[in-house]
Each structure stands twice: as C-alpha cells, then as structure tokens.
C-alpha cells in the first residue's frame, strides 16, 4: 500500500486554505483556485493523524464523475483536472498533483451545508427519536431507523470554521442567514441533484442515503451585474455522503456502508467521545491514530464505492 499524502508543500504557490481534506492554493490565474485532495480523513470533525492512501485520488475521481453526470441540473465550478492544462507554476508539481487536483472557478461560497436526506439515519435518526423532528421539521410518527422517507428532505446546517462543529438548523433559520430567495434556489437544486444521483446509484446496487452539497455565487455570463448559483467543493464522495449496499438494506437497524461510517464506528469503539477531540484518554494532545487494519478496510470501502458508481 502506498504512503498517504497528509500535507502538501508546493513552493511558488500560495496556500490560502487548509481544510479537513483539501488544500486550496491561489494561482497566477485571478479567476481560479487549485483544489488538492490529500489523503487526510476526519470523523466527528476530528482530523486523524494518519490518512487513507490514495483517498484523495478516489475523491477526485468520483467528484469528476458526478460533476459530469449532473452538469445539466446546475453549473459547477470545475474547469480541468489535467495538470498540463493548468498554470505553469502548477505543472511542475504534476508528480504530486496528478489525479488528486482540480482547477476550479472562484466563487462566493454560500455559508450553508446543503444536506439532503432520503433515509432516516445518523443525526437525523437521533433527533427523530427524541422529538419526532429532523432539523426541526416534523415527521410522521412510527418511522424506523434507516427507513426511506416519503420524499427527500432538505436539512441545512451551518458551515463551521475549521475545528468547530457544523450545527443542524431548520430551513427557517437558514433563510435568516442567506435570505429566503437564495435558500429556495439552494434547496431546489440540492433536492434535484440528490434525486438524480440516488436514482443512478440505485441502478448500480447502491443506496445514496444522504449527502451534503455546497454552493457558490459567480457573476452571470449573460449579465455580469447579477449573481448565478453554481455547485462547488467536492460532490457526492464517500466523505460527504452515506452509501449503502442495496442488497443488504434492511429497515430498523444501522446499515453496512461504503463510506466513513465504518471509521466513525471504530473511533467510538476506541474510546472517542465529545471532549476527547485531541486524543485518547491519557494521551490528550497526541491526536488519534487509525489502526492499520482500519486504514486498509476504509480504503477498500472507498475503492468499492467509486468502482461501483463510476465503472
């Protein structure tokens, strides 16, 4: 198994943002950014010390697939993944960047995580058990864990700064952040994207239980004085989505998955809980290290998901 790329160091390029997975660089092109998908992995907003080899390449591959597959629903920020077509200062790092980088359009990011849920699972299931709601939205009584919802549900969250936790909010709260008109455009696009992707995935034996989209605003090509909504960031990756094998689906319990739920479960079993983000009990400040067998199994699950959906 190759070594994981945890950090990038690209002299001559300016690092402007370092997220949980992506390093974002400015380029000599004033209208574009360079997105580099590292092999870092996070769970419960904690970045693990070791990564998953080739994970960044897998995320890039599946994002590129979905950008093309869903381009007729809404424009996106993708420009090229061919390093040879990128600015000169980028091309000299082809050995590092090939397969894990995208040149993208700059956009004014909408400060919301646009989550769409087709099934009752995760934090939505936890909230429903307590109050019969999901993000403050009332749902019918008697629903079971992992049950398919009658219609996909748009459930936004705040977009937290690095190290902070996203907060689930109601659509009404989201409207106060971005305005009702923009929220309607975001929610409509998000549900259309989810529905199309879920239908496609199901044909290939995969359930898309839920996913997270991010949107941005750019100047309209037809009228530069107006803003146009586009899709940004990654798209429908195992990092931002829950993918379940259709043949093993059964209502009333948690599901086996192709995403990082497996890693989340391991982290909890290893002793993680809120307040221990910096490391295991007695090793606070040292971080969390993924066991080798968990690294291998996580890599296997990501690879299987990408192969099933893109082959």
């Amino acid at each position: 198994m190759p070594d994981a790329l945890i950090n990038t160091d690209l002299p001559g390029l300016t690092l402007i943002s370092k997220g949980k997975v992506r390093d974002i660089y400015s380029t000599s092109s004033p209208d574009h950014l360079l997105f580099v998908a590292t092999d870092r992995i996070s769970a419960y907003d904690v970045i693990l010390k070791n990564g998953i080899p080739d994970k960044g390449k897998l995320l890039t591959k599946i994002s590129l697939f979905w950008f093309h597959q869903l381009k007729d629903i809404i424009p996106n920020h993708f420009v090229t993944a061919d390093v040879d077509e990128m600015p000169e200062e980028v091309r000299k790092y082809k050995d590092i960047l090939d397969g894990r980088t995208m040149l993208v359009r700059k956009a004014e990011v909408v400060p919301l995580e646009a989550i769409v849920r087709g099934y009752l699972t995760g934090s939505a299931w936890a909230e429903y058990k307590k109050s019969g709601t999901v993000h403050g939205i009332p749902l019918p009584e008697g629903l079971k864990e992992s049950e398919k919802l009658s219609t996909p549900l748009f459930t936004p969250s705040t977009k937290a700064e690095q190290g902070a936790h996203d907060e689930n909010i109601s659509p009404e709260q989201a409207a106060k952040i971005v305005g009702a008109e923009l929220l309607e455009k975001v929610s409509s696009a998000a549900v259309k994207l989810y529905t199309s992707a879920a239908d496609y995935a199901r044909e290939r034996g995969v359930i898309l239980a839920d996913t997270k989209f991010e949107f941005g605003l750019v100047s309209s090509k037809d009228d530069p004085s107006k803003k146009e909504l586009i899709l940004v960031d990654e798209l429908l990756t195992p990092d931002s989505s829950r993918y379940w094998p259709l043949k093993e689906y059964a209502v009333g319990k948690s599901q086996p998955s192709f995403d990082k739920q497996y890693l989340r479960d391991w982290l909890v079993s290893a002793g993680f809980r809120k307040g221990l983000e910096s490391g295991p009990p007695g090793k606070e400040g040292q971080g969390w290290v993924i066991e080798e067998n968990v690294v291998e199994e996580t890599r296997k699950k990501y690879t299987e998901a990408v192969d099933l959906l893109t082959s």
Side-chain angles (χ1 to χ4, degrees):
M1 193 161 50
D3 292 335
L5 179 69
I6 304 299
N7 296 296
T8 59
D9 181 18
L10 308 176
L13 294 173
T14 301
L15 179 68
I16 59 173
S17 176
K18 186 169 185 170
K20 293 170 188 170
V21 175
R22 280 163 191 77
D23 292 346
I24 302 177
Y25 290 85
S26 61
T27 74
S28 57
S29 172
D31 299 323
H32 300 107
L33 295 171
L34 190 73
F35 272 37
V36 183
T38 71
D39 297 331
R40 295 192 294 268
I41 194 166
S42 68
Y44 300 114
D45 293 322
V46 175
I47 300 174
L48 287 302
K49 287 196 73 173
N50 52 334
I52 308 298
D54 288 334
K55 172 176 168 280
K57 292 183 178 182
L58 291 168
L59 297 190
T60 301
K61 181 178 179 179
I62 198 167
S63 285
L64 295 178
F65 169 80
W66 284 119
F67 279 134
H68 176 75
Q69 184 76 13
L70 302 173
K71 66 182 186 300
D72 292 337
I73 295 176
I74 184 173
N76 59 67
H77 70 161
F78 173 70
V79 176
T80 184
D82 186 344
V83 177
D84 291 330
E85 295 178 355
M86 296 181 188
E88 183 178 356
E89 69 273 19
V90 176
R91 296 198 293 268
K92 63 183 177 181
Y93 296 114
K94 183 175 181 177
D95 287 351
I96 299 170
L97 299 177
D98 206 24
R100 64 169 72 245
T101 192
M102 301 186 296
L103 192 71
V104 303
R105 294 168 67 188
K106 282 184 178 178
E108 176 190 343
V109 176
V110 177
L112 289 177
E113 305 278 8
I115 302 165
V116 182
R117 304 178 188 274
Y119 293 75
L120 191 57
T121 187
S123 64
W125 169 240
E127 180 185 334
Y128 177 80
K129 285 191 294 182
K130 289 181 180 178
S131 60
T133 62
V134 172
H135 290 237
I137 303 167
L139 291 185
E141 293 181 4
L143 298 181
K144 299 177 181 177
E145 183 177 8
S146 303
E147 186 166 344
K148 185 177 183 180
L149 301 173
S150 59
T151 185
L153 204 59
F154 173 71
T155 55
S157 75
T158 59
K159 188 171 172 59
E161 295 297 321
Q162 179 74 16
H165 295 280
D166 298 335
E167 179 188 349
N168 290 348
I169 57 176
S170 68
E172 290 76 19
Q173 290 171 299
K176 292 179 181 178
I177 297 173
V178 302
E181 184 179 353
L182 180 55
L183 183 69
E184 172 58 32
K185 291 179 180 178
V186 166
S187 62
S188 175
V191 170
K192 287 177 182 176
L193 289 163
Y194 169 83
T195 302
S196 180
D199 289 346
Y200 174 91
R202 195 174 186 88
E203 291 173 359
R204 281 148 186 80
V206 179
I207 291 173
L208 174 60
D210 56 41
T211 193
K212 170 184 69 70
F213 301 108
E214 295 193 33
F215 293 90
L217 295 168
V218 297
S219 295
S220 170
K221 292 180 181 178
D222 298 329
D223 183 354
S225 67
K226 294 182 179 179
K227 296 290 187 180
E228 176 186 19
L229 190 70
I230 65 169
L231 196 55
V232 302
D233 201 61
E234 65 181 358
L235 183 57
L236 291 155
T237 72
D239 266 10
S240 63
S241 315
R242 279 189 177 89
Y243 284 113
W244 299 336
L246 176 60
K247 64 183 179 182
E248 297 179 50
Y249 173 65
V251 176
K253 63 183 184 71
S254 62
Q255 308 297 309
S257 67
F258 295 121
D259 51 69
K260 64 180 179 182
Q261 188 59 47
Y262 170 79
L263 178 67
R264 293 187 192 103
D265 293 344
W266 168 80
L267 192 58
V268 171
S269 72
F272 174 81
R273 64 181 186 274
K274 193 171 182 179
L276 287 175
E277 286 82 1
S278 68
K283 297 182 179 180
E284 291 87 346
Q286 297 181 32
W288 291 86
V289 178
I290 315 169
E291 295 174 0
E292 192 61 30
N293 65 306
V294 178
V295 170
E296 292 177 3
E297 186 63 21
T298 302
R299 185 171 186 254
K300 178 181 173 183
K301 287 176 178 291
Y302 273 53
T303 302
E304 188 174 2
V306 173
D307 289 346
L308 280 169
L309 292 166
T310 64
S311 298

